[in-house]
PDB file of all heavy atoms in Angstrom:
ATOM      1  N   PRO V 673       0.834  -1.203  -0.013  1.00  0.00           N
ATOM      2  CA  PRO V 673       0.006   0.009  -0.009  1.00  0.00           C
ATOM      3  C   PRO V 673       0.874   1.254  -0.003  1.00  0.00           C
ATOM      4  O   PRO V 673       1.901   1.320   0.659  1.00  0.00           O
ATOM      5  CB  PRO V 673      -0.813  -0.105   1.291  1.00  0.00           C
ATOM      6  CG  PRO V 673      -0.046  -1.052   2.154  1.00  0.00           C
ATOM      7  CD  PRO V 673       0.704  -1.966   1.227  1.00  0.00           C
ATOM      8  N   VAL V 674       0.420   2.221  -0.771  1.00  0.00           N
ATOM      9  CA  VAL V 674       1.118   3.512  -0.803  1.00  0.00           C
ATOM     10  C   VAL V 674       0.695   4.298   0.411  1.00  0.00           C
ATOM     11  O   VAL V 674      -0.500   4.414   0.696  1.00  0.00           O
ATOM     12  CB  VAL V 674       0.722   4.285  -2.107  1.00  0.00           C
ATOM     13  CG1 VAL V 674       1.372   5.652  -2.130  1.00  0.00           C
ATOM     14  CG2 VAL V 674       1.067   3.468  -3.324  1.00  0.00           C
ATOM     15  N   PRO V 675       1.636   4.832   1.173  1.00  0.00           N
ATOM     16  CA  PRO V 675       1.264   5.557   2.387  1.00  0.00           C
ATOM     17  C   PRO V 675       0.477   6.835   2.039  1.00  0.00           C
ATOM     18  O   PRO V 675       0.799   7.482   1.043  1.00  0.00           O
ATOM     19  CB  PRO V 675       2.599   5.914   3.042  1.00  0.00           C
ATOM     20  CG  PRO V 675       3.624   5.720   1.991  1.00  0.00           C
ATOM     21  CD  PRO V 675       3.053   4.784   0.972  1.00  0.00           C
ATOM     22  N   GLU V 676      -0.505   7.107   2.872  1.00  0.00           N
ATOM     23  CA  GLU V 676      -1.298   8.330   2.656  1.00  0.00           C
ATOM     24  C   GLU V 676      -0.425   9.542   2.976  1.00  0.00           C
ATOM     25  O   GLU V 676       0.414   9.500   3.845  1.00  0.00           O
ATOM     26  CB  GLU V 676      -2.514   8.336   3.579  1.00  0.00           C
ATOM     27  CG  GLU V 676      -3.557   7.328   3.228  1.00  0.00           C
ATOM     28  CD  GLU V 676      -4.785   7.488   4.114  1.00  0.00           C
ATOM     29  OE1 GLU V 676      -5.255   8.620   4.295  1.00  0.00           O
ATOM     30  OE2 GLU V 676      -5.238   6.446   4.634  1.00  0.00           O
ATOM     31  N   ARG V 677      -0.668  10.611   2.229  1.00  0.00           N
ATOM     32  CA  ARG V 677       0.096  11.824   2.456  1.00  0.00           C
ATOM     33  C   ARG V 677      -0.854  12.956   2.754  1.00  0.00           C
ATOM     34  O   ARG V 677      -1.920  13.051   2.146  1.00  0.00           O
ATOM     35  CB  ARG V 677       0.996  12.120   1.282  1.00  0.00           C
ATOM     36  CG  ARG V 677       2.027  11.012   1.065  1.00  0.00           C
ATOM     37  CD  ARG V 677       3.081  11.346   0.067  1.00  0.00           C
ATOM     38  NE  ARG V 677       3.980  12.409   0.391  1.00  0.00           N
ATOM     39  CZ  ARG V 677       5.001  12.350   1.259  1.00  0.00           C
ATOM     40  NH1 ARG V 677       5.210  11.228   1.924  1.00  0.00           N
ATOM     41  NH2 ARG V 677       5.797  13.358   1.483  1.00  0.00           N
ATOM     42  N   LEU V 678      -0.483  13.804   3.678  1.00  0.00           N
ATOM     43  CA  LEU V 678      -1.259  14.970   4.040  1.00  0.00           C
ATOM     44  C   LEU V 678      -0.310  16.139   4.241  1.00  0.00           C
ATOM     45  O   LEU V 678       0.613  16.044   5.044  1.00  0.00           O
ATOM     46  CB  LEU V 678      -2.044  14.674   5.342  1.00  0.00           C
ATOM     47  CG  LEU V 678      -2.949  15.757   5.860  1.00  0.00           C
ATOM     48  CD1 LEU V 678      -4.105  16.028   4.898  1.00  0.00           C
ATOM     49  CD2 LEU V 678      -3.500  15.373   7.224  1.00  0.00           C
ATOM     50  N   ASN V 679      -0.482  17.179   3.490  1.00  0.00           N
ATOM     51  CA  ASN V 679       0.379  18.369   3.590  1.00  0.00           C
ATOM     52  C   ASN V 679       1.838  18.009   3.403  1.00  0.00           C
ATOM     53  O   ASN V 679       2.714  18.496   4.104  1.00  0.00           O
ATOM     54  CB  ASN V 679       0.179  19.091   4.915  1.00  0.00           C
ATOM     55  CG  ASN V 679      -1.230  19.612   5.078  1.00  0.00           C
ATOM     56  OD1 ASN V 679      -1.855  19.990   4.074  1.00  0.00           O
ATOM     57  ND2 ASN V 679      -1.726  19.666   6.288  1.00  0.00           N
ATOM     58  N   GLY V 680       2.119  17.111   2.461  1.00  0.00           N
ATOM     59  CA  GLY V 680       3.513  16.801   2.151  1.00  0.00           C
ATOM     60  C   GLY V 680       4.184  15.814   3.108  1.00  0.00           C
ATOM     61  O   GLY V 680       5.340  15.482   2.933  1.00  0.00           O
ATOM     62  N   ARG V 681       3.474  15.376   4.128  1.00  0.00           N
ATOM     63  CA  ARG V 681       4.051  14.419   5.091  1.00  0.00           C
ATOM     64  C   ARG V 681       3.228  13.138   5.033  1.00  0.00           C
ATOM     65  O   ARG V 681       2.038  13.144   4.786  1.00  0.00           O
ATOM     66  CB  ARG V 681       3.993  14.962   6.498  1.00  0.00           C
ATOM     67  CG  ARG V 681       4.950  16.078   6.774  1.00  0.00           C
ATOM     68  CD  ARG V 681       5.022  16.330   8.260  1.00  0.00           C
ATOM     69  NE  ARG V 681       3.741  16.097   8.920  1.00  0.00           N
ATOM     70  CZ  ARG V 681       3.035  16.983   9.564  1.00  0.00           C
ATOM     71  NH1 ARG V 681       3.510  18.182   9.704  1.00  0.00           N
ATOM     72  NH2 ARG V 681       1.905  16.689  10.110  1.00  0.00           N
ATOM     73  N   THR V 682       3.895  12.023   5.345  1.00  0.00           N
ATOM     74  CA  THR V 682       3.212  10.755   5.431  1.00  0.00           C
ATOM     75  C   THR V 682       2.333  10.804   6.660  1.00  0.00           C
ATOM     76  O   THR V 682       2.755  11.237   7.724  1.00  0.00           O
ATOM     77  CB  THR V 682       4.239   9.615   5.525  1.00  0.00           C
ATOM     78  OG1 THR V 682       5.075   9.637   4.374  1.00  0.00           O
ATOM     79  CG2 THR V 682       3.527   8.247   5.600  1.00  0.00           C
ATOM     80  N   VAL V 683       1.103  10.342   6.505  1.00  0.00           N
ATOM     81  CA  VAL V 683       0.185  10.301   7.638  1.00  0.00           C
ATOM     82  C   VAL V 683       0.770   9.380   8.707  1.00  0.00           C
ATOM     83  O   VAL V 683       1.239   8.288   8.420  1.00  0.00           O
ATOM     84  CB  VAL V 683      -1.227   9.796   7.217  1.00  0.00           C
ATOM     85  CG1 VAL V 683      -2.110   9.588   8.399  1.00  0.00           C
ATOM     86  CG2 VAL V 683      -1.823  10.757   6.226  1.00  0.00           C
ATOM     87  N   GLY V 684       0.791   9.856   9.930  1.00  0.00           N
ATOM     88  CA  GLY V 684       1.349   9.089  11.014  1.00  0.00           C
ATOM     89  C   GLY V 684       2.820   9.412  11.265  1.00  0.00           C
ATOM     90  O   GLY V 684       3.401   8.978  12.247  1.00  0.00           O
ATOM     91  N   GLU V 685       3.408  10.170  10.349  1.00  0.00           N
ATOM     92  CA  GLU V 685       4.803  10.548  10.526  1.00  0.00           C
ATOM     93  C   GLU V 685       4.900  11.590  11.632  1.00  0.00           C
ATOM     94  O   GLU V 685       4.141  12.548  11.668  1.00  0.00           O
ATOM     95  CB  GLU V 685       5.325  11.153   9.200  1.00  0.00           C
ATOM     96  CG  GLU V 685       6.749  11.621   9.227  1.00  0.00           C
ATOM     97  CD  GLU V 685       7.135  12.247   7.875  1.00  0.00           C
ATOM     98  OE1 GLU V 685       6.387  12.116   6.912  1.00  0.00           O
ATOM     99  OE2 GLU V 685       8.194  12.867   7.846  1.00  0.00           O
ATOM    100  N   GLU V 686       5.801  11.387  12.544  1.00  0.00           N
ATOM    101  CA  GLU V 686       5.924  12.298  13.680  1.00  0.00           C
ATOM    102  C   GLU V 686       6.663  13.530  13.252  1.00  0.00           C
ATOM    103  O   GLU V 686       7.619  13.497  12.452  1.00  0.00           O
ATOM    104  CB  GLU V 686       6.663  11.627  14.829  1.00  0.00           C
ATOM    105  CG  GLU V 686       5.909  10.474  15.412  1.00  0.00           C
ATOM    106  CD  GLU V 686       6.605   9.940  16.632  1.00  0.00           C
ATOM    107  OE1 GLU V 686       7.370  10.676  17.291  1.00  0.00           O
ATOM    108  OE2 GLU V 686       6.381   8.766  16.928  1.00  0.00           O
ATOM    109  N   MET V 687       6.207  14.663  13.782  1.00  0.00           N
ATOM    110  CA  MET V 687       6.917  15.921  13.512  1.00  0.00           C
ATOM    111  C   MET V 687       8.020  16.065  14.527  1.00  0.00           C
ATOM    112  O   MET V 687       7.910  15.629  15.651  1.00  0.00           O
ATOM    113  CB  MET V 687       5.946  17.102  13.654  1.00  0.00           C
ATOM    114  CG  MET V 687       4.925  17.167  12.529  1.00  0.00           C
ATOM    115  SD  MET V 687       3.855  18.606  12.704  1.00  0.00           S
ATOM    116  CE  MET V 687       4.986  19.949  12.753  1.00  0.00           C
ATOM    117  N   ALA V 688       9.076  16.743  14.106  1.00  0.00           N
ATOM    118  CA  ALA V 688      10.172  17.042  15.043  1.00  0.00           C
ATOM    119  C   ALA V 688       9.627  18.024  16.076  1.00  0.00           C
ATOM    120  O   ALA V 688       8.820  18.895  15.768  1.00  0.00           O
ATOM    121  CB  ALA V 688      11.336  17.624  14.294  1.00  0.00           C
ATOM    122  N   GLU V 689      10.087  17.888  17.293  1.00  0.00           N
ATOM    123  CA  GLU V 689       9.634  18.762  18.356  1.00  0.00           C
ATOM    124  C   GLU V 689      10.433  20.058  18.289  1.00  0.00           C
ATOM    125  O   GLU V 689      11.662  20.044  18.393  1.00  0.00           O
ATOM    126  CB  GLU V 689       9.841  18.080  19.730  1.00  0.00           C
ATOM    127  CG  GLU V 689       8.930  16.872  19.935  1.00  0.00           C
ATOM    128  CD  GLU V 689       7.482  17.262  20.077  1.00  0.00           C
ATOM    129  OE1 GLU V 689       7.166  18.344  20.655  1.00  0.00           O
ATOM    130  OE2 GLU V 689       6.650  16.484  19.574  1.00  0.00           O
ATOM    131  N   TYR V 690       9.747  21.141  18.130  1.00  0.00           N
ATOM    132  CA  TYR V 690      10.369  22.468  18.139  1.00  0.00           C
ATOM    133  C   TYR V 690       9.675  23.285  19.190  1.00  0.00           C
ATOM    134  O   TYR V 690       8.454  23.205  19.387  1.00  0.00           O
ATOM    135  CB  TYR V 690      10.206  23.169  16.784  1.00  0.00           C
ATOM    136  CG  TYR V 690      10.986  22.523  15.677  1.00  0.00           C
ATOM    137  CD1 TYR V 690      10.362  21.695  14.743  1.00  0.00           C
ATOM    138  CD2 TYR V 690      12.361  22.747  15.561  1.00  0.00           C
ATOM    139  CE1 TYR V 690      11.094  21.088  13.735  1.00  0.00           C
ATOM    140  CE2 TYR V 690      13.083  22.137  14.529  1.00  0.00           C
ATOM    141  CZ  TYR V 690      12.451  21.319  13.632  1.00  0.00           C
ATOM    142  OH  TYR V 690      13.157  20.743  12.639  1.00  0.00           O
ATOM    143  N   GLU V 691      10.458  24.065  19.857  1.00  0.00           N
ATOM    144  CA  GLU V 691       9.884  24.930  20.893  1.00  0.00           C
ATOM    145  C   GLU V 691       9.760  26.337  20.297  1.00  0.00           C
ATOM    146  O   GLU V 691      10.718  26.903  19.764  1.00  0.00           O
ATOM    147  CB  GLU V 691      10.794  24.973  22.124  1.00  0.00           C
ATOM    148  CG  GLU V 691      10.280  25.865  23.217  1.00  0.00           C
ATOM    149  CD  GLU V 691      11.241  25.936  24.413  1.00  0.00           C
ATOM    150  OE1 GLU V 691      12.168  25.103  24.443  1.00  0.00           O
ATOM    151  OE2 GLU V 691      11.043  26.821  25.255  1.00  0.00           O
ATOM    152  N   TYR V 692       8.556  26.902  20.404  1.00  0.00           N
ATOM    153  CA  TYR V 692       8.335  28.244  19.916  1.00  0.00           C
ATOM    154  C   TYR V 692       8.729  29.240  20.984  1.00  0.00           C
ATOM    155  O   TYR V 692       8.282  29.138  22.129  1.00  0.00           O
ATOM    156  CB  TYR V 692       6.859  28.453  19.518  1.00  0.00           C
ATOM    157  CG  TYR V 692       6.547  29.852  19.132  1.00  0.00           C
ATOM    158  CD1 TYR V 692       6.986  30.372  17.919  1.00  0.00           C
ATOM    159  CD2 TYR V 692       5.825  30.683  19.977  1.00  0.00           C
ATOM    160  CE1 TYR V 692       6.718  31.658  17.530  1.00  0.00           C
ATOM    161  CE2 TYR V 692       5.559  31.985  19.614  1.00  0.00           C
ATOM    162  CZ  TYR V 692       5.994  32.468  18.397  1.00  0.00           C
ATOM    163  OH  TYR V 692       5.716  33.763  18.046  1.00  0.00           O
ATOM    164  N   VAL V 693       9.583  30.170  20.615  1.00  0.00           N
ATOM    165  CA  VAL V 693      10.014  31.194  21.576  1.00  0.00           C
ATOM    166  C   VAL V 693       9.612  32.518  20.969  1.00  0.00           C
ATOM    167  O   VAL V 693      10.147  32.930  19.937  1.00  0.00           O
ATOM    168  CB  VAL V 693      11.535  31.168  21.803  1.00  0.00           C
ATOM    169  CG1 VAL V 693      11.955  32.248  22.775  1.00  0.00           C
ATOM    170  CG2 VAL V 693      11.962  29.785  22.282  1.00  0.00           C
ATOM    171  N   PRO V 694       8.661  33.227  21.616  1.00  0.00           N
ATOM    172  CA  PRO V 694       8.253  34.536  21.093  1.00  0.00           C
ATOM    173  C   PRO V 694       9.454  35.489  21.131  1.00  0.00           C
ATOM    174  O   PRO V 694      10.347  35.365  21.963  1.00  0.00           O
ATOM    175  CB  PRO V 694       7.150  34.994  22.047  1.00  0.00           C
ATOM    176  CG  PRO V 694       6.786  33.829  22.860  1.00  0.00           C
ATOM    177  CD  PRO V 694       7.896  32.840  22.783  1.00  0.00           C
ATOM    178  N   GLU V 695       9.459  36.428  20.206  1.00  0.00           N
ATOM    179  CA  GLU V 695      10.599  37.369  20.117  1.00  0.00           C
ATOM    180  C   GLU V 695      10.789  38.164  21.376  1.00  0.00           C
ATOM    181  O   GLU V 695      11.897  38.518  21.745  1.00  0.00           O
ATOM    182  CB  GLU V 695      10.418  38.292  18.928  1.00  0.00           C
ATOM    183  CG  GLU V 695      10.608  37.617  17.604  1.00  0.00           C
ATOM    184  CD  GLU V 695      10.574  38.573  16.438  1.00  0.00           C
ATOM    185  OE1 GLU V 695      11.023  39.721  16.582  1.00  0.00           O
ATOM    186  OE2 GLU V 695      10.064  38.163  15.402  1.00  0.00           O
ATOM    187  N   ASP V 696       9.726  38.489  22.081  1.00  0.00           N
ATOM    188  CA  ASP V 696       9.825  39.274  23.321  1.00  0.00           C
ATOM    189  C   ASP V 696      10.628  38.516  24.377  1.00  0.00           C
ATOM    190  O   ASP V 696      11.353  39.123  25.158  1.00  0.00           O
ATOM    191  CB  ASP V 696       8.447  39.603  23.885  1.00  0.00           C
ATOM    192  CG  ASP V 696       7.637  40.455  22.926  1.00  0.00           C
ATOM    193  OD1 ASP V 696       8.245  41.064  22.022  1.00  0.00           O
ATOM    194  OD2 ASP V 696       6.397  40.539  23.084  1.00  0.00           O
ATOM    195  N   ASP V 697      10.496  37.205  24.411  1.00  0.00           N
ATOM    196  CA  ASP V 697      11.136  36.391  25.432  1.00  0.00           C
ATOM    197  C   ASP V 697      12.534  35.933  25.015  1.00  0.00           C
ATOM    198  O   ASP V 697      13.281  35.399  25.839  1.00  0.00           O
ATOM    199  CB  ASP V 697      10.316  35.138  25.754  1.00  0.00           C
ATOM    200  CG  ASP V 697       8.972  35.516  26.361  1.00  0.00           C
ATOM    201  OD1 ASP V 697       8.829  36.647  26.872  1.00  0.00           O
ATOM    202  OD2 ASP V 697       8.032  34.656  26.324  1.00  0.00           O
ATOM    203  N   ALA V 698      12.873  36.123  23.774  1.00  0.00           N
ATOM    204  CA  ALA V 698      14.170  35.646  23.309  1.00  0.00           C
ATOM    205  C   ALA V 698      15.295  36.487  23.888  1.00  0.00           C
ATOM    206  O   ALA V 698      15.208  37.703  23.959  1.00  0.00           O
ATOM    207  CB  ALA V 698      14.222  35.686  21.780  1.00  0.00           C
ATOM    208  N   GLU V 699      16.337  35.788  24.330  1.00  0.00           N
ATOM    209  CA  GLU V 699      17.480  36.498  24.865  1.00  0.00           C
ATOM    210  C   GLU V 699      18.371  36.944  23.716  1.00  0.00           C
ATOM    211  O   GLU V 699      18.649  36.179  22.805  1.00  0.00           O
ATOM    212  CB  GLU V 699      18.281  35.569  25.808  1.00  0.00           C
ATOM    213  CG  GLU V 699      17.485  35.155  27.005  1.00  0.00           C
ATOM    214  CD  GLU V 699      18.269  34.213  27.903  1.00  0.00           C
ATOM    215  OE1 GLU V 699      19.518  34.188  27.791  1.00  0.00           O
ATOM    216  OE2 GLU V 699      17.653  33.520  28.691  1.00  0.00           O
ATOM    217  N   PRO V 700      18.842  38.179  23.752  1.00  0.00           N
ATOM    218  CA  PRO V 700      19.717  38.639  22.685  1.00  0.00           C
ATOM    219  C   PRO V 700      21.062  37.926  22.762  1.00  0.00           C
ATOM    220  O   PRO V 700      21.595  37.721  23.834  1.00  0.00           O
ATOM    221  CB  PRO V 700      19.870  40.143  22.915  1.00  0.00           C
ATOM    222  CG  PRO V 700      19.483  40.343  24.317  1.00  0.00           C
ATOM    223  CD  PRO V 700      18.574  39.218  24.746  1.00  0.00           C
ATOM    224  N   ALA V 701      21.570  37.593  21.614  1.00  0.00           N
ATOM    225  CA  ALA V 701      22.881  36.975  21.553  1.00  0.00           C
ATOM    226  C   ALA V 701      23.938  38.053  21.790  1.00  0.00           C
ATOM    227  O   ALA V 701      23.751  39.211  21.429  1.00  0.00           O
ATOM    228  CB  ALA V 701      23.076  36.306  20.203  1.00  0.00           C
ATOM    229  N   ASP V 702      25.073  37.663  22.378  1.00  0.00           N
ATOM    230  CA  ASP V 702      26.126  38.618  22.674  1.00  0.00           C
ATOM    231  C   ASP V 702      26.682  39.248  21.419  1.00  0.00           C
ATOM    232  O   ASP V 702      27.113  40.394  21.426  1.00  0.00           O
ATOM    233  CB  ASP V 702      27.256  37.943  23.464  1.00  0.00           C
ATOM    234  CG  ASP V 702      26.772  37.537  24.843  1.00  0.00           C
ATOM    235  OD1 ASP V 702      25.816  38.158  25.373  1.00  0.00           O
ATOM    236  OD2 ASP V 702      27.360  36.596  25.414  1.00  0.00           O
TER     237      ASP V 702
END
């Protein structure tokens, strides 16, 4: 069976975990 695809990803494929950091909370780099 051909795997189902949704939005360019295989259905059931796990997304990489990314943490969203709003710009206000981001620490400026030195």
Side-chain angles (χ1 to χ4, degrees):
V674 177
E676 290 185 47
R677 297 190 66 76
L678 181 66
N679 297 329
R681 288 192 326 241
T682 302
V683 173
E685 178 182 349
E686 294 185 26
M687 290 182 56
E689 293 291 325
Y690 292 101
E691 179 182 348
Y692 175 73
V693 179
E695 287 186 35
D696 297 343
D697 296 341
E699 297 179 19
D702 293 334

